[in-house]
Amino acid sequence: MGIGQDLRMQYRTGDLTTKLIFFNIAVFVLSIVLFYKFRAAAFDYPTWIALSSDPLTVATRPWTLLIYSFFHGGFFHLLFNLIILNFAGRLFLTFFNERQMLGLYLTSAIFAGLCYMGGYYLLGRESIIVGASGAIMAILMGAATYAPNMDIRLLLIGRIKLWHFAAAVILIDLLYILAENTGGHIAHLAGAFFGYIYVEQVKRGRDLGSWLASAFGWAAGLAPKTKKTPFRKVHRTTKAPAVKPSGKNVQQKRIDEILDKISKSGYDSLSAEEKEFLFRAGKE
């Protein structure tokens, strides 16, 4: 199998995190061809792609409120975002389905863009912004909101709680918001805030981004596969059907029991074996 075929296979069989990583890389390669100025060693994005801080400009180019989040200002900008996306996305999909993740990714990008515009308007500044940082921060904060005490392991640091990591990232944005890349830090904080709100609303049975996930998933070929989550209505029959459960049904029953336990007692109430089982099931 050639490299091209292997990449296509990974895209088709990968989860939404993998698809978003591939999509961002593909857009970055295309942007090098179209918008990179080699003499200046920098990208020169037009205002019909980059999000402007000027409301009048955005009013004539409303699509930039979303597409700006798929372009990046440089290789390391892209690399850092994809590292965090790979980490946060897989955590998020442990507890939520792909449709919810895609909805959060897209709606948080729009919300972060609006906050960037509002912040720069109040500061009296004009600029443009590109990057998926706001949307990725929303994914990270969404996972941290649902399972704040989940143990994660970081290189050179060791085991810490997920909320510790999320809080450290937010603190960095707060400390540097007026020092450099002010617009980027505003978008990061806005995305984190929206990630918290989104998950709290999903807990109440309201998915704020379902309509956008359906539309974008169909248009870009990212239609997510459905996956059961704790946020659903369960109908019980008085008599169980006389069917021998398959291995897949037994596994799903085990997942449902663990998720119900989380809903009642929190993530910390799980045993080490239950946490490991849920993590492995989320990766399948």
Side-chain angles (χ1 to χ4, degrees):
M1 181 181 293
I3 295 178
Q5 290 179 316
D6 184 54
L7 291 176
R8 285 194 293 271
M9 179 63 68
Q10 289 185 44
Y11 181 87
R12 286 197 299 267
T13 61
D15 60 13
L16 182 62
T17 301
T18 302
K19 287 182 170 64
L20 286 172
I21 289 173
F22 271 78
F23 196 81
N24 276 280
I25 292 174
V27 171
F28 183 75
V29 172
L30 181 63
S31 66
I32 292 176
V33 176
L34 297 178
F35 307 115
Y36 192 75
K37 305 300 181 184
F38 289 91
R39 288 186 177 181
F43 284 96
D44 182 19
Y45 288 113
T47 55
W48 54 269
I49 284 182
L51 178 64
S52 172
S53 61
D54 179 20
L56 293 178
T57 301
V58 177
T60 61
R61 301 166 177 82
W63 58 85
T64 58
L65 275 169
L66 181 60
I67 67 169
Y68 83 95
S69 62
F70 290 100
F71 292 82
H72 290 81
F75 173 76
F76 289 105
H77 184 202
L78 173 72
L79 179 63
F80 180 78
N81 274 348
L82 295 189
I83 289 173
I84 300 299
L85 174 60
N86 184 62
F87 168 75
R90 300 191 189 287
L91 284 178
F92 190 88
L93 289 177
T94 303
F95 308 106
F96 302 91
N97 63 43
E98 293 183 333
R99 182 171 297 277
Q100 289 166 327
M101 178 174 163
L102 182 59
L104 174 55
Y105 187 95
L106 299 175
T107 51
S108 61
I110 295 174
F111 182 80
L114 291 172
C115 290
Y116 157 76
M117 290 171 55
Y120 263 43
Y121 178 80
L122 294 175
L123 293 172
R125 300 184 184 182
E126 289 188 15
S127 185
I128 60 173
I129 190 174
V130 293
S133 304
I136 293 170
M137 278 293 293
I139 300 297
L140 174 62
M141 184 53 62
T145 298
Y146 186 72
N149 294 312
M150 182 178 186
D151 289 326
I152 60 173
R153 182 173 298 169
L154 298 180
L155 183 66
L156 303 179
I157 296 177
R159 298 177 70 88
I160 62 172
K161 301 296 184 183
L162 179 55
W163 79 265
H164 292 159
F165 178 73
V169 174
I170 291 175
L171 180 60
I172 291 172
D173 281 311
L174 289 171
L175 291 175
Y176 287 93
I177 191 169
L178 295 179
E180 58 181 13
N181 189 25
T182 299
H185 293 303
I186 291 174
H188 297 175
L189 294 170
F193 174 73
F194 191 84
Y196 168 78
I197 295 298
Y198 190 95
V199 169
E200 288 299 320
Q201 290 302 305
V202 170
K203 288 180 180 179
R204 293 167 173 78
R206 295 187 289 270
D207 188 342
L208 301 178
S210 59
W211 63 276
L212 196 54
S214 298
F216 190 85
W218 172 82
L222 297 176
K225 296 172 282 188
T226 57
K227 171 183 170 183
K228 292 186 178 180
T229 71
F231 310 116
R232 65 196 187 281
K233 185 175 181 180
V234 179
H235 299 275
R236 299 182 182 274
T237 58
T238 55
K239 294 183 179 181
V243 178
K244 185 178 180 180
S246 65
K248 185 175 182 180
N249 290 335
V250 171
Q251 183 187 40
Q252 185 60 55
K253 181 179 179 181
R254 174 69 167 154
I255 292 173
D256 290 344
E257 291 173 351
I258 294 175
L259 292 175
D260 287 340
K261 185 175 180 180
I262 292 175
S263 299
K264 293 177 181 179
S265 306
Y267 184 82
D268 284 343
S269 65
L270 300 184
S271 66
E273 184 273 331
E274 289 172 327
K275 292 179 181 178
E276 178 65 22
F277 178 85
L278 186 60
F279 182 76
R280 284 188 280 104
K283 294 175 66 177
E284 294 180 357

